[in-house]
């Protein structure tokens, strides 16, 4: 098994990342579909991005008059092209899942500079298994 990991670390990490993404795409869809989100943060970001995409700036019905009055979030402007294509809270959730799955690669590359391939793969897999 260790020789397989040593020879194919990228295949293992790609497979783990795709599996992680598929599982958590489903979990976020299921939770949203069954009204499982009770935190206002998703609603606040969704409202702010919807208004930004439709030309109303960062106005927000939850934190009037503007979300910039509550938090300074220039990162929302970078999310607008993705949100424009798929205007739903699922877009934000799925972007979060993709970002978390993609973090495996920088972790692997940083670890690979100092550790073996097997240890680097283990660090990436620990990241994906982290429940926090």
């Amino acid at each position: 098994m260790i020789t397989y990991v040593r020879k194919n670390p990228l295949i293992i990490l790609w497979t783990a990342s795709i599996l992680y993404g598929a599982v958590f795409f489903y979990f976020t869809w299921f939770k949203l579909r069954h009204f499982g989100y009770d935190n206002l943060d998703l609603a606040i970001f969704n409202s702010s991005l919807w208004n930004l995409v439709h030309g109303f700036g960062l106005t927000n019905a939850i934190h009037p008059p503007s979300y910039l009055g509550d938090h300074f979030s220039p990162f929302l402007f970078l999310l607008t092209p993705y949100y424009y294509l798929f205007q739903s809270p699922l877009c934000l959730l799925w972007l979060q899942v993709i970002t978390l799955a993609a973090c495996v690669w920088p972790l692997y590359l940083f670890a690979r500079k100092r550790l073996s391939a097997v240890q680097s793969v283990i660090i990436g897999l620990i990241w994906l298994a982290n429940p926090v």
Side-chain angles (χ1 to χ4, degrees):
M1 180 69 174
I2 291 178
T3 57
Y4 181 78
V5 174
R6 192 176 297 128
K7 290 181 181 179
N8 303 306
L10 300 180
I11 292 172
I12 292 170
L13 286 179
W14 271 110
T15 305
S17 296
I18 290 169
L19 183 63
Y20 175 90
V23 167
F24 282 97
F25 276 178
Y26 173 74
F27 283 161
T28 56
W29 171 83
F30 184 85
K31 189 174 179 179
L32 187 69
R33 178 91 170 138
H34 293 90
F35 303 104
Y37 286 99
D38 57 357
N39 191 342
L40 279 178
D41 288 343
L42 182 61
I44 291 168
F45 284 112
N46 187 52
S47 174
S48 297
L49 277 170
W50 190 91
N51 286 322
L52 188 61
V53 164
H54 289 91
F56 300 113
L58 287 175
T59 57
N60 194 309
I62 298 169
H63 288 287
S66 171
Y67 189 63
L68 287 176
D70 192 30
H71 292 287
F72 181 65
S73 300
F75 187 72
L76 292 177
F77 290 98
L78 297 175
L79 296 178
T80 53
Y82 304 106
Y83 193 83
Y84 181 78
L85 295 173
F86 187 58
Q87 297 178 20
S88 167
L90 274 177
C91 176
L92 299 174
L93 295 169
W94 289 353
L95 284 171
Q96 182 181 22
V97 169
I98 290 168
T99 303
L100 289 172
C103 286
V104 166
W105 299 105
L107 280 172
Y108 171 77
L109 294 174
F110 288 140
R112 191 67 187 109
K113 290 185 178 193
R114 300 246 186 222
L115 304 172
S116 70
V118 175
Q119 292 170 328
S120 301
V121 168
I122 289 171
I123 287 174
L125 294 177
I126 288 173
W127 169 260
L128 291 178
N130 184 3
V132 179

